[in-house]
Amino acid sequence: MKGIAAFLALMTFAGAACAADKFKSGVFEPARLAPEIALIGSDGGELSLGKYRGKVVVLGFGFSHCPEICPTTLDRLAKARKRLGASGAQMQVVYVTVDPGRDTPERLRTYLAAFDPGFVGGTGTAAQIDKVQKEYGIVAAKTMGRDPRTYGVDHSSFVYLVDREGRLRVMVPYGRSAEDIAHDVALLLKK
């Protein structure tokens, strides 16, 4: 009986170890090269994914006037980065606006710094943003409020994890916990 209990305990441990090596979110199989972006960064300089080769890039899309989804996502990304400890320096969040009319580099810099000063925003012309959205399958549409001077933007709310070699590896759905995001980034950092 003790032998069976020991065997079951070993199998449970082995199963947990295997689960620890699997991504918590959707995986791109096979991984493919992430489409390059050419935008203006929140630092005022040129923004490209190639600039961050060697790091795991967390690529998200949103806007600074977003009332709920974007702040929730950015808060979880900041917490995930902190959970990684020293390895968090190897995780670069790049947040591309879906509202280039209002999101200037300065506005994005101020907005993102409230979550983590290391986060980088991307903006550009409407045509540049449309091109990036199409390449990544992002859907965004303005929604008008009661006041015609105000509007929101409904948009895709997942984020991509791009590995150190620039390949799309994981798609993280909205609502995933900071712990799950940190887990997936940590797996990519090991590779």
Side-chain angles (χ1 to χ4, degrees):
M1 198 60 130
K2 285 183 182 179
I4 293 173
F7 176 74
L8 290 175
L10 179 61
M11 293 308 293
T12 301
F13 176 75
C18 289
D21 289 341
K22 293 184 180 179
F23 292 106
K24 304 276 185 173
S25 295
V27 178
F28 287 95
E29 288 293 344
R32 62 182 172 95
L33 196 60
E36 187 55 86
I37 61 174
L39 298 171
I40 300 166
S42 54
D43 61 359
E46 214 175 281
L47 176 65
S48 69
L49 293 182
K51 183 177 182 177
Y52 300 107
R53 284 283 150 74
K55 292 186 175 188
V56 171
V57 174
V58 179
L59 177 63
F61 295 82
F63 65 114
S64 64
H65 288 82
C66 183
E68 184 180 344
I69 291 173
C70 299
T72 300
T73 298
L74 290 165
D75 180 63
R76 288 187 181 160
L77 295 177
K79 287 177 179 170
R81 191 168 189 218
K82 285 180 186 167
R83 287 184 68 84
L84 290 168
S87 298
Q90 295 302 308
M91 172 184 155
Q92 179 60 58
V93 171
V94 174
Y95 214 66
V96 176
T97 187
V98 294
D99 185 13
R102 294 184 290 189
D103 282 341
T104 64
E106 299 79 21
R107 173 135 181 106
L108 285 173
R109 181 174 50 249
T110 301
Y111 177 68
L112 293 171
F115 299 96
D116 186 305
F119 289 4
V120 175
T123 191
T125 65
Q128 288 172 314
I129 297 298
D130 285 346
K131 180 179 185 292
V132 173
Q133 287 175 353
K134 283 180 187 161
E135 289 176 336
Y136 282 93
I138 301 299
V139 177
K142 281 186 180 179
T143 58
M144 300 309 294
R146 291 183 185 162
D147 181 342
R149 296 170 294 179
T150 64
Y151 63 90
V153 182
D154 286 342
H155 61 89
S156 305
S157 56
F158 51 83
V159 297
Y160 292 106
L161 301 186
V162 180
D163 71 16
R164 295 174 185 259
E165 289 81 36
R167 295 174 300 181
L168 284 171
R169 296 293 302 277
V170 177
M171 182 187 293
V172 181
Y174 174 73
R176 190 66 81 202
S177 70
E179 293 81 11
D180 286 353
I181 296 167
H183 172 272
D184 288 355
V185 171
L187 285 180
L188 290 175
L189 288 172
K190 289 180 186 177
K191 299 180 186 235

